[in-house]
């Protein structure tokens, strides 16, 4: 099991795991997950890491639908900082303990400030990476917020 799954088990929340065959040539990990599982793109969320104030050691997590782009200005406002930029891939992998395409908002090596896009609340359950490519965890938005201490805000652009 992955650290993300272990966090969910330890918290004794209700969740489901969904596994699919990852295609190494997939252009978008999140879109691949939605298509493989037959889900609407808006119900599958990607986990993105940003550097606050340009500092690659001061990262934060954004969780947005796979069919949306992250609004960096809105995320900066939600984090109460002047600006954010996408984190470098190696920094994101090192600080979370996950590989790209498998970064989960759950079970990261270090708890980071997390913001969940508010569209998540329109679903009974949502899907995020369970900590490796080809594995998604389905849980309620409320449980995701509770387990990550996430703030909920409109941080996506369509």
């Amino acid at each position: 099991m992955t650290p993300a799954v272990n966090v969910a088990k330890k918290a004794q929340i209700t969740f489901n795991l969904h596994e699919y065959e990852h295609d190494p040539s997939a252009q978008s990990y999140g879109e691949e997950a939605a298509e493989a599982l037959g889900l609407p793109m808006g119900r599958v969320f990607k986990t993105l890491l940003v550097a606050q104030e340009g500092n690659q050691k001061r990262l934060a997590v954004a969780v947005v639908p796979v069919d949306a782009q992250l609004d960096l200005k809105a995320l900066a406002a939600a984090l109460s900082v002047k600006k954010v930029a996408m984190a470098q891939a190696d920094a994101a992998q090192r600080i979370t303990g996950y590989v790209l395409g498998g970064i989960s908002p759950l079970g990261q090596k270090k708890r980071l400030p997390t913001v969940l896009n508010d569209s998540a609340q329109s679903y009974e359950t949502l899907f995020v990476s369970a900590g490796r490519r080809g594995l998604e965890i389905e849980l309620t938005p409320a449980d995701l917020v509770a387990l990550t201490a996430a703030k909920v805000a409109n941080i996506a652009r369509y």
Side-chain angles (χ1 to χ4, degrees), residues 1-34:
M1 282 298 107
T2 67
V5 175
N6 291 337
V7 164
K9 282 183 176 180
K10 186 177 178 187
Q12 298 182 329
I13 64 163
T14 300
F15 67 92
N16 290 301
L17 292 177
H18 301 270
E19 199 161 6
Y20 61 92
E21 189 67 38
H22 166 62
D23 177 359
S25 67
Q27 296 288 317
S28 164
Y29 299 113
E31 288 179 11
E32 176 193 29

Side-chain angles (χ1 to χ4, degrees), residues 68-149:
Q69 290 185 326
L70 175 60
D71 183 332
L72 295 173
K73 286 185 179 181
L75 179 59
L79 293 168
S80 301
V81 296
K82 288 185 182 179
K83 68 176 189 168
V84 297
M86 295 307 297
Q88 295 170 356
D90 61 334
Q93 293 179 117
R94 186 175 53 254
I95 204 157
T96 63
Y98 294 120
V99 297
L100 293 183
I103 295 179
S104 177
L106 303 170
Q108 297 179 358
K109 284 201 286 188
K110 180 180 179 189
R111 180 170 274 199
L112 300 171
T114 301
V115 182
L116 174 63
N117 192 64
D118 59 1
S119 66
Q121 295 178 312
S122 64
Y123 297 103
E124 192 173 313
T125 61
L126 57 87
F127 294 73
V128 295
S129 174
R132 69 172 167 80
R133 296 172 188 155
L135 187 64
E136 295 283 305
I137 186 168
E138 177 185 6
L139 70 168
T140 68
D143 283 338
L144 181 60
V145 167
L147 293 176
T148 59

Side-chain angles (χ1 to χ4, degrees), residues 20 26-41 44-46 65-68 136:
Y20 61 92
Q27 296 288 317
S28 164
Y29 299 113
E31 288 179 11
E32 176 193 29
E35 288 171 10
L37 298 173
L39 297 166
M41 295 284 178
V44 180
F45 285 69
K46 56 189 170 186
V66 299
D67 63 347
E136 295 283 305

Side-chain angles (χ1 to χ4, degrees), residues 40-61:
M41 295 284 178
R43 194 166 166 210
V44 180
F45 285 69
K46 56 189 170 186
T47 306
L48 303 172
L49 272 81
V50 297
Q52 298 181 71
E53 309 291 358
N55 182 343
Q56 291 292 324
K57 292 184 178 169
R58 215 171 133 228
L59 301 185
V61 177

